[in-house]
């Protein structure tokens, strides 16, 4: 029976597009819920837990090979209670069971994640990722695995119970221990992380390590900020700037970046950034958008500015819902083939372009070279416009115009193809990352439309996902649900602080303070410090993680520590500063052990050692905007500047003492120390300039 003709299973009513993709499987799927867990206990059946996401290529492969196969489904239904989870909606479950996979198999996990759980307490006793229909590459056939695992649970119950006890202890040990009498952190981990990144830097193709290569925007931000911290008229860490700048340029000019439509793919399968895994994730593009804005300010390289513009335009064109929230992902596949939407043949391109356009375009993007992706051509910049202009005796402007015209024609033609699937759920944490990126782009690139886009997304979150003093994690098809996680709260505070710098809105400051109260009250470990990934009223699971290391998203504890420091300095709330300090104390041993794996926490540490420069401008009229614009004119990563109109009264905390006068004035603080306000613009500008760095081409 064709899948579409089968009666739907329980996943048909899920909000997750990933779960809905499996709604017509012959597998008797359950979502993760109390009823499914109770059924496993009642029937004494092990749980087969399958975790993935809608844009995951190998999830699609395993679904087609196994979950759509009636014979495999019969085995699954007879031997197991089968639960399907979207890792994007339930990162709490994904974090726990990815950690369990690593402990059980001694290797990193991934998606699809295939976990077998005991029925009585959901403890995993066997874990893997993708399993094929037939044995290959050292992996057993999935049907053979299903029989063997169920038999092992019946025949080796005692050994499995003992293994489970050890596994639970091992999971608990992953959370950091009490800080004890450890020495407070100094700047040593910053220098060690800088050295570790340099050791893994690919000097030939840029990026870090070997293929596959991921963007790792937090690492690149760390390097940019390290250069800014050390920069001086006499030198500074130019190598740190060079590593970040070169990597960003190679990523933007390569196949990782959609050369026609903008937006970055998840990772490059090769070391040259040429061929990506074609899925596009909101959580990659938000931080990369902010980072390219920073890189443009730091270097003055227009290629960084163009990458930021293309990414922001793509987000507004393809990823923002009519309701205002940002969608989650674009699939890698269309028409059953990965990358089909994006690749070309020279003949297709020649038919769309004039001869002079084609000659330039082919030389630039490699259509005059052998195919680079399964007999087709994926656009990758082989020759920069400057080189083409020199070789062909044209002006750079003329070459740029011809290439831009060609790109527009090809993009219009590509829009007629069958598009990749789009996961249209709205995730709070991912939206926060993009709101921050769009707000940064709005003020750095002077694009009010980007600010409008960020505002629409924030308005959607506030009206739809903020309920009775707490956040919800996800929304789709009119339904918002699931308790939000640490990442949701921390990243949304970060986004609000970025928006406040772009334009003042009192309700945003109040929202940020309300979110911080939930962090302190519901997520904070009051005994040891730091923040749990889930709130104290969350569903009880086998483990309550307290993540410190960065993964595909920046670590929630690192983001929380940094934004609470910034919000604490802005408002003078010492509770926020103390919570940030206790987080860094708790994380000290982990940071010292592997500094480069904790760059989000290192950014918080850097701002503790070199406190944020907080600038509060008070005034009215056009003068207020002029003073604020000056604070944003150059790359100043440890600066937080807000302009508060004179008619705002009864401001919270320290802001209440920063009173306006007839003309604009600026209060400038370093950490908790503030000097007298500046009333003269020239003196204010000179003071800022003395602490700033000039754009530098490495």
């Amino acid at each position: 029976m064709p899948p579409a003709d089968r009666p739907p299973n329980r996943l048909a009513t899920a909000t997750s597009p990933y779960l809905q993709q499996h709604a017509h499987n012959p597998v008797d799927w359950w979502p993760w819920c109390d009823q499914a867990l109770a059924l496993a206990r009642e029937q004494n059946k092990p749980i087969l837990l399958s975790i993935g996401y809608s844009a995951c290529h190998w999830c699609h492969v395993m679904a087609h090979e196994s979950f759509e196969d009636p014979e495999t489904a019969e085995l699954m239904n007879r031997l197991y209670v089968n639960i399907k989870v979207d890792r994007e909606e339930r990162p709490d479950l994904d974090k726990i069971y990815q950690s369990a996979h690593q402990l059980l198999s001694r290797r990193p996990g991934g998606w699809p994640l295939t976990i077998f759980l005991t029925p009585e307490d959901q403890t995993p006793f066997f874990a893997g990722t993708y399993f094929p229909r037939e044995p290959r590459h050292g992996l057993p056939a999935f049907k053979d695995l299903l029989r063997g695992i169920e038999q092992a649970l019946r025949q080796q119950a005692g050994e499995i119970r003992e293994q489970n006890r050890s596994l639970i202890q091992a999971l608990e040990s992953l959370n950091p221990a009490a800080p004890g009498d450890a020495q407070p952190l100094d700047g040593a981990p910053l220098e060690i992380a800088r050295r570790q990144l340099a050791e893994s830097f690919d000097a030939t193709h840029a990026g870090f390590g070997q293929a596959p290569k991921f963007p790792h925007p937090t690492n690149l931000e760390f390097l940019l900020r390290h250069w800014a911290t050390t920069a001086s008229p006499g030198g500074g860490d130019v190598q740190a700037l060079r590593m970040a700048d070169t990597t960003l340029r190679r990523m933007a000019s390569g196949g990782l970046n959609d050369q026609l439509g903008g937006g970055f793919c998840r990772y490059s399968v090769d070391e040259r950034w040429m061929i990506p895994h074609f899925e596009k994730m909101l959580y990659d593009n938000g931080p990369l958008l902010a980072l390219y804005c920073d890189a443009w300010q730091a270097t003055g390289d227009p290629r960084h500015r163009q990458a930021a513009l293309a990414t922001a335009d793509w987000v507004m064109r393809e990823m923002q819902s009519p309701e205002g929230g940002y969608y989650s992902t674009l699939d890698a596949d269309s028409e059953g083939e990965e990358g089909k939407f994006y690749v070309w043949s020279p003949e297709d391109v020649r038919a769309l372009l004039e001869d002079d356009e084609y000659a330039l375009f082919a030389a630039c993007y490699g259509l005059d070279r052998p195919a680079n992706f399964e007999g087709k051509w994926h656009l990758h910049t082989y020759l920069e416009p400057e080189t083409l202009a020199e070789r062909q005796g044209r002006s750079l402007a003329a070459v740029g115009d011809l290439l831009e015209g060609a790109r527009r024609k090809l993009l219009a033609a590509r829009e007629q193809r069958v598009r990749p699937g789009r996961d249209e759920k709205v995730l709070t944490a991912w939206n926060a990352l993009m709101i921050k990126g769009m707000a940064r782009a709005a003020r750095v690139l002077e694009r009010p439309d980007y600010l409008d886009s960020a505002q629409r997304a924030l308005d959607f979150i506030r009206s739809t996902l903020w309920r009775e003093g707490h956040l919800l994690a996800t929304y789709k098809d009119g339904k918002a649900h699931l308790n939000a996680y640490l990442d949701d709260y921390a990243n949304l505070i970060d986004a609000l602080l970025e928006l406040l710098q772009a334009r003042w809105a009192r309700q945003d400051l109040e929202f940020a303070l309300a979110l911080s109260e939930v962090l302190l009250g519901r997520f904070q470990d009051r005994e040891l410090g730091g923040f749990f990934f889930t709130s104290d009223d969350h569903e009880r699971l086998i483990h309550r993680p307290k993540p410190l290391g960065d993964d595909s998203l920046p670590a929630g504890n690192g983001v929380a520590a940094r934004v609470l420091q910034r919000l604490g300095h802005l408002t003078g709330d010492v509770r926020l500063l103390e919570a940030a300090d206790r987080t860094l104390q708790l994380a000290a041993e982990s940071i010292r052990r592997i500094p480069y794996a904790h760059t989000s926490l290192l950014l918080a540490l850097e701002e503790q050692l070199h406190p944020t420069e907080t600038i509060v401008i008070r005034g009215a009229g056009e003068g207020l905007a002029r003073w604020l614009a000056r604070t944003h004119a150059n790359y100043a990563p440890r600066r937080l500047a807000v302009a508060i109109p004179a008619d705002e009264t009864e401001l919270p905390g320290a802001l209440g003492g920063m009173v306006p006068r007839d003309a604009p004035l600026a209060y400038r603080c370093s950490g908790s120390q503030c000097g007298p306000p500046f009333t003269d613009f020239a003196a204010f500008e000179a003071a800022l300039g003395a602490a700033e760095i000039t754009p530098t081409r490495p």
Side-chain angles (χ1 to χ4, degrees):
M1 181 186 298
D5 295 337
R6 296 191 185 105
N9 57 39
R10 297 176 190 86
L11 303 185
T13 59
T15 58
S16 160
Y18 173 64
L19 268 58
Q20 291 173 357
Q21 287 170 1
H22 296 80
H24 291 275
N25 292 167
V27 178
D28 186 20
W29 287 115
W30 287 83
W32 182 278
C33 60
D34 290 340
Q35 298 96 309
L37 303 182
L39 181 67
R41 289 192 296 268
E42 292 165 7
Q43 298 186 355
N44 196 31
K45 280 186 176 181
I47 295 169
L48 194 165
L49 175 62
S50 176
I51 302 178
Y53 59 102
S54 66
C56 167
H57 174 72
W58 286 102
C59 298
H60 298 330
V61 173
M62 189 166 178
H64 177 67
E65 290 182 345
S66 295
F67 303 149
E68 295 174 7
D69 174 53
E71 187 177 339
T72 304
E74 188 279 328
L75 266 177
M76 294 172 66
N77 296 338
R78 177 161 48 86
L79 299 178
Y80 297 92
V81 171
N82 302 288
I83 297 179
K84 178 65 72 173
V85 163
D86 183 341
R87 66 105 174 178
E88 296 169 356
E89 285 195 340
R90 294 300 303 262
D92 54 337
L93 294 170
D94 189 55
K95 284 184 182 296
I96 291 169
Y97 291 113
Q98 291 285 354
S99 296
H101 175 280
Q102 187 146 2
L103 290 168
L104 288 168
S105 66
R106 300 291 189 267
R107 60 179 181 272
W111 301 279
L113 184 65
T114 306
I115 302 279
F116 296 87
L117 315 179
T118 53
E120 63 273 10
D121 57 7
Q122 300 92 55
T123 303
F125 63 96
F126 186 86
T129 52
Y130 162 78
F131 290 101
R133 187 199 324 245
E134 306 296 338
R136 62 174 179 267
H137 305 308
L139 295 171
F142 188 53
K143 286 184 289 188
D144 294 340
L145 182 74
L146 293 171
R147 298 185 188 96
I149 293 297
E150 191 273 340
Q151 185 180 50
L153 183 60
R154 284 188 287 105
Q155 295 179 354
Q156 303 171 36
E159 293 93 326
I160 288 174
R161 279 195 297 271
E162 184 60 34
Q163 174 186 283
N164 287 354
R165 281 193 289 270
S166 299
L167 179 69
I168 295 298
Q169 292 173 357
L171 285 171
E172 290 302 320
S173 72
L174 296 177
N175 280 355
D181 297 325
Q183 291 295 312
L185 286 165
D186 56 18
L190 302 175
E191 297 300 329
I192 296 170
R194 157 67 180 81
R195 186 171 67 247
Q196 289 172 328
L197 290 171
E199 289 169 353
S200 66
F201 181 69
D202 181 349
T204 302
H205 302 293
F208 302 92
Q210 305 302 313
K213 282 185 175 175
F214 290 80
H216 296 304
T218 310
N219 290 352
L220 297 173
E221 181 184 7
F222 169 77
L223 290 171
L224 270 183
R225 289 173 63 116
H226 194 274
W227 164 72
T229 301
T230 61
S232 66
D237 189 357
V238 178
Q239 186 189 9
L241 175 63
R242 185 177 297 115
M243 287 189 286
D245 174 72
T246 306
T247 300
L248 288 166
R249 283 194 287 106
R250 295 292 177 85
M251 291 193 320
S253 65
L256 187 78
N257 183 22
D258 182 351
Q259 297 296 320
L260 300 182
F264 288 84
C265 297
R266 175 82 273 261
Y267 62 86
S268 173
V269 301
D270 63 280
E271 62 185 7
R272 300 178 63 187
W273 304 103
M274 182 185 295
I275 304 301
H277 183 37
F278 285 87
E279 63 189 6
K280 291 184 183 179
M281 318 295 288
L282 192 71
Y283 67 74
D284 287 320
N285 283 278
L288 285 171
L289 173 56
L291 187 58
Y292 275 99
C293 291
D294 290 348
W296 179 63
Q297 280 199 309
T299 67
D301 190 330
R303 289 171 291 190
H304 296 320
R305 183 177 187 274
Q306 183 54 43
L309 290 167
T311 303
D313 289 345
W314 165 73
V315 170
M316 291 179 61
R317 186 179 65 248
E318 298 189 30
M319 299 302 286
Q320 190 155 30
S321 74
E323 296 170 285
Y326 297 117
Y327 297 135
S328 295
T329 64
L330 294 182
D331 280 4
D333 302 1
S334 58
E335 300 181 80
E337 296 181 26
E338 182 175 8
K340 184 174 182 178
F341 180 74
Y342 298 98
V343 297
W344 297 87
S345 71
E347 294 74 25
D348 291 338
V349 175
R350 191 186 296 274
L352 293 167
L353 302 182
E354 301 294 333
D355 289 346
D356 55 346
E357 289 177 320
Y358 179 80
L360 270 177
F361 193 88
C364 180
Y365 292 112
L367 296 174
D368 56 353
R369 299 168 185 250
N372 61 2
F373 182 72
E374 299 178 0
K376 294 285 188 176
W377 281 254
H378 178 55
L379 301 182
H380 170 87
T381 306
Y382 290 87
L383 295 176
E384 295 288 348
E386 293 85 353
T387 303
L388 289 169
E390 182 179 344
R391 289 185 179 182
Q392 299 201 5
R394 299 174 184 257
S395 71
L396 182 59
V399 168
D401 289 345
L402 282 169
L403 289 175
E404 179 58 26
R407 285 193 293 265
R408 282 198 299 268
K409 291 178 182 179
L410 293 183
L411 179 61
R414 197 179 76 178
E415 289 297 301
Q416 307 307 310
R417 298 177 178 178
V418 177
R419 298 185 60 82
R422 182 170 62 191
D423 188 326
E424 296 187 351
K425 67 177 179 291
V426 175
L427 297 169
T428 300
W430 297 15
N431 269 249
L433 291 168
M434 185 53 72
I435 291 169
K436 178 183 177 180
M438 293 297 280
R440 180 79 58 83
R443 67 176 175 86
V444 170
L445 305 178
E446 299 181 344
R447 288 288 299 264
D449 53 335
Y450 295 168
L451 183 58
D452 292 342
S453 173
Q455 185 66 56
R456 289 181 59 216
L458 176 64
D459 291 345
F460 177 81
I461 289 176
R462 191 169 2 222
S463 64
T464 308
L465 291 154
W466 177 243
R467 302 273 183 85
E468 299 176 352
H470 70 276
L471 280 172
L472 299 174
T474 182
Y475 168 90
K476 189 175 183 293
D477 297 334
K479 181 181 179 181
H481 68 127
L482 299 176
N483 280 350
Y485 310 100
L486 170 62
D487 290 354
D488 298 294
Y489 285 88
N491 284 304
L492 189 52
I493 295 171
D494 200 17
L496 287 162
L497 289 174
E498 189 65 47
L499 275 167
L500 284 168
Q501 295 192 79
R503 52 91 189 107
W504 170 257
R506 185 189 184 103
Q507 65 267 29
D508 287 357
L509 177 61
E510 293 171 347
F511 194 15
L513 291 171
L515 294 169
S516 71
E517 291 298 332
V518 181
L519 272 185
L520 298 185
R522 293 285 190 181
F523 289 84
Q524 184 179 202
D525 185 338
R526 296 178 184 84
E527 180 182 354
L528 302 181
F531 296 91
F532 292 104
F533 188 71
T534 53
S535 59
D536 59 8
D537 59 346
H538 193 78
E539 171 190 1
R540 186 174 179 84
L541 302 171
I542 64 169
H543 177 51
R544 193 181 180 198
K546 193 188 291 183
L548 301 176
D550 298 313
D551 47 33
S552 54
L553 268 67
N557 270 283
V559 178
R562 181 170 51 81
V563 301
L564 291 179
Q565 282 181 159
R566 290 191 156 214
L567 193 56
H569 286 136
L570 180 65
T571 63
D573 189 336
V574 295
R575 297 175 308 139
L576 305 182
L577 299 174
E578 289 170 354
D581 182 62
R582 295 183 72 223
T583 301
L584 288 170
Q585 290 179 33
L586 179 78
E589 181 56 35
S590 297
I591 292 173
R592 288 191 179 100
R593 189 167 60 248
I594 319 176
Y596 78 95
H598 298 84
T599 46
S600 293
L601 281 160
L602 292 181
L603 296 179
L605 172 62
E606 180 205 34
E607 292 201 355
Q608 185 184 68
L609 298 173
H610 307 281
T612 307
E613 177 192 31
T614 305
I615 299 172
V616 178
I617 306 166
R618 301 299 311 268
E622 295 181 359
L624 190 67
R626 179 191 180 207
W627 285 57
L628 180 64
R630 176 58 189 85
T631 67
H632 299 325
N634 293 309
Y635 179 59
R638 291 198 309 277
R639 175 179 296 164
L640 187 153
V642 297
I644 305 177
D647 57 3
E648 284 279 10
T649 59
E650 298 182 6
L651 292 166
L655 291 174
M658 298 180 179
V659 296
R661 299 180 188 172
D662 294 336
L665 75 164
Y667 295 86
R668 186 176 182 228
C669 307
S670 176
S672 302
Q673 303 297 315
C674 300
F678 289 89
T679 57
D680 178 73
F681 182 80
F684 177 60
E685 186 172 41
L688 294 182
E692 291 174 340
I693 53 175
T694 57
T696 301
R697 292 286 185 94

